[in-house]
Amino acid sequence: AQSVTQLDSQVPVFEEAPVELRCNYSSSVSVYLFWYVQYPNQGLQLLLKYLSGSTLVKSINGFEAEFNKSQTSFHLRKPSVHISDTAEYFCAVGAMKTSYDKVIFGPGTSLSVIP
Amino acid sequence: DAGITQSPRHKVTETGTPVTLRCHQTENHRYMYWYRQDPGHGLRLIHYSYGVKDTDKGEVSDGYSVSRSKTEDFLLTLESATSSQTSVYFCAINRNTGELFFGEGSRLTVL
């Protein structure tokens, strides 16, 4: 079975400062990884994903994450945050067992951008 | 629009009563999921389905059952609701890309 750890439950950061949200996973099989974002009073939406290939993946709004197999990590980074990035961020892992079956989420990190 | 609708969107019920939440998709996808979202726990998988009449348990399946008699519908049933099942419930589909698309959520309050 797979599991996901997000060590930081809350991350306050000043506007235009860099940020890193940490995600570690465990799995006995190969995995695929995601970051989802939930803005206040909204549903979840995909931010970025790693399925295979290049270990560095990027989103359209400036976030990036790097898959590190040796450290079993998939940390999310942004060099300069905006007020609009305030949201809950969830790391998720799925196991490449037979196909796309169950996807497990971490507990989430609440990012608060301070003006 | 991911073509997923959940009903009801809000429900208040009393302890011990049965509750059924419905998830309906218009896209004919094989994989469907039920999650619950609670503060400090993120999203926890309750049950998922990989086809008609094919379902499996997730992380927190105790107290919940599911059924999928048609590709488009995935039902979540609380046979006897308890206060610990007060939560926001999300249904999701997998479009065979690995990415999950979520419904708008169903807020359940058990008094």
Side-chain angles (χ1 to χ4, degrees):
Chain A
Q2 63 266 37
S3 65
V4 182
T5 302
Q6 292 180 252
L7 291 176
D8 306 306
S9 59
Q10 296 183 344
V11 174
V13 61
F14 286 104
E15 192 174 16
E16 298 184 2
V19 69
E20 178 181 82
L21 306 183
R22 295 179 292 170
C23 172
N24 289 88
Y25 70 92
S26 66
S27 176
S28 58
V29 299
S30 296
V31 298
Y32 50 100
L33 296 153
F34 307 88
W35 277 98
Y36 285 82
V37 59
Q38 186 178 33
Y39 297 104
N41 299 314
Q42 295 187 25
L44 284 87
Q45 55 188 278
L46 182 72
L47 186 60
L48 46 76
K49 63 184 177 183
Y50 169 78
L51 300 180
S52 63
S54 173
T55 57
L56 182 65
V57 292
K58 299 182 180 183
S59 72
I60 59 174
N61 58 350
F63 283 94
E64 64 179 36
E66 185 161 19
F67 170 52
N68 188 318
K69 187 175 181 179
S70 63
Q71 298 186 5
T72 60
S73 67
F74 191 56
H75 300 330
L76 181 69
R77 302 182 181 93
K78 188 171 185 180
S80 176
V81 296
H82 302 289
I83 294 291
S84 60
D85 293 324
T86 293
E88 191 86 15
Y89 291 80
F90 297 95
C91 183
V93 60
M96 293 183 184
K97 190 170 60 177
T98 54
S99 181
Y100 301 110
D101 46 27
K102 56 184 177 182
V103 178
I104 302 300
F105 284 76
T109 296
S110 178
L111 175 64
S112 298
V113 180
I114 305 165
Chain B
D1 184 5
I4 307 172
T5 55
Q6 293 183 227
S7 60
R9 294 289 314 283
H10 300 272
K11 186 172 182 63
V12 179
T13 190
E14 294 187 350
T15 298
T17 60
V19 175
T20 295
L21 305 180
R22 178 180 183 243
C23 177
H24 178 79
Q25 63 155 323
T26 60
E27 302 182 4
N28 203 36
H29 291 291
R30 181 181 175 192
Y31 286 91
M32 298 184 74
Y33 309 78
W34 276 109
Y35 290 89
R36 61 177 288 175
Q37 184 177 22
D38 304 287
H41 293 278
L43 278 83
R44 290 180 291 177
L45 181 64
I46 305 172
H47 283 279
Y48 67 102
S49 171
Y50 46 95
V52 174
K53 299 189 187 308
D54 291 324
T55 65
D56 204 352
K57 296 179 179 180
E59 305 166 274
V60 290
S61 58
D62 288 347
Y64 301 95
S65 63
V66 290
S67 65
R68 194 165 178 202
S69 58
K70 299 184 291 184
T71 299
E72 58 266 35
D73 289 326
F74 191 33
L75 304 180
L76 177 70
T77 297
L78 293 66
E79 299 292 346
S80 178
T82 67
S83 58
S84 64
Q85 293 176 311
T86 292
S87 186
V88 180
Y89 292 86
F90 285 98
C91 176
I93 61 171
N94 189 320
R95 287 176 170 164
N96 297 326
T97 61
E99 176 183 355
L100 296 183
F101 289 85
F102 289 86
E104 295 183 334
S106 296
R107 184 175 297 274
L108 175 66
T109 301
V110 183
L111 302 176

